[in-house]
Amino acid sequence: MALARTAKTGTTVKKKVSTVVVTGPSVKCHQWGFMEVQLKVAKTVIGSGPSAKVSIKLLAVTWPIYPDHTPKSKYINAQALPLLKGETIQLQAASGTKLLNIAGATHTTVSWRISLQAALALAEKP
């Protein structure tokens, strides 16, 4: 019976929760300019070292750089960027792979996805 009552001592699991802002690279959006996605995430790290488990929750998505140098690019992005933001927030961490193209804004969507995937990878590092 003595073995059944013995408990491990000295093993505590570290849990760290923080809010971080990460920015993806500036990605060329065909001939229209550049796109850059910035994420504000709640990051939870459980454990430490290479075995640490990281989970993130997207709190906000912004685009500090986006194509806006022509009337056409301004029109397209005024429509597309809020849709991409909403879909990114809805899909959370899966948005890097499950984000759908927006008809009429294919170049913007592709550049958004590339910058987003890089930003998510940065956010998920312990």
Side-chain angles (χ1 to χ4, degrees):
M1 274 288 202
L3 287 175
R5 293 179 181 227
T6 304
K8 283 187 174 181
T9 57
T11 57
T12 58
V13 177
K14 288 184 179 182
K15 180 178 178 180
K16 180 181 174 189
V17 179
S18 59
T19 302
V20 296
V21 176
V22 292
T23 305
S26 185
V27 178
K28 186 154 176 65
C29 188
H30 203 53
Q31 78 255 22
W32 307 110
F34 289 87
M35 169 102 284
E36 184 177 277
V37 176
Q38 188 173 69
L39 306 174
K40 181 177 180 182
V41 300
K43 181 176 180 175
T44 304
V45 180
I46 299 173
S48 61
S51 62
K53 177 138 173 98
V54 178
S55 63
I56 60 170
K57 178 178 181 185
L58 301 181
L59 302 174
V61 179
T62 58
W63 46 92
I65 298 173
Y66 63 97
D68 70 343
H69 68 283
T70 67
K72 184 175 181 175
S73 63
K74 286 180 183 180
Y75 174 78
I76 289 171
N77 290 317
Q79 309 298 312
L81 293 174
L83 293 172
L84 288 166
K85 174 185 177 178
E87 193 171 349
T88 299
I89 292 287
Q90 181 181 354
L91 292 170
Q92 289 292 310
S95 60
T97 56
K98 294 186 177 183
L99 192 72
L100 298 176
N101 279 349
I102 293 179
T106 303
H107 297 299
T108 298
T109 306
V110 169
S111 298
W112 176 283
R113 188 180 297 117
I114 293 168
S115 186
L116 173 65
Q117 286 172 338
L120 287 169
L122 283 173
E124 291 173 343
K125 285 186 179 179

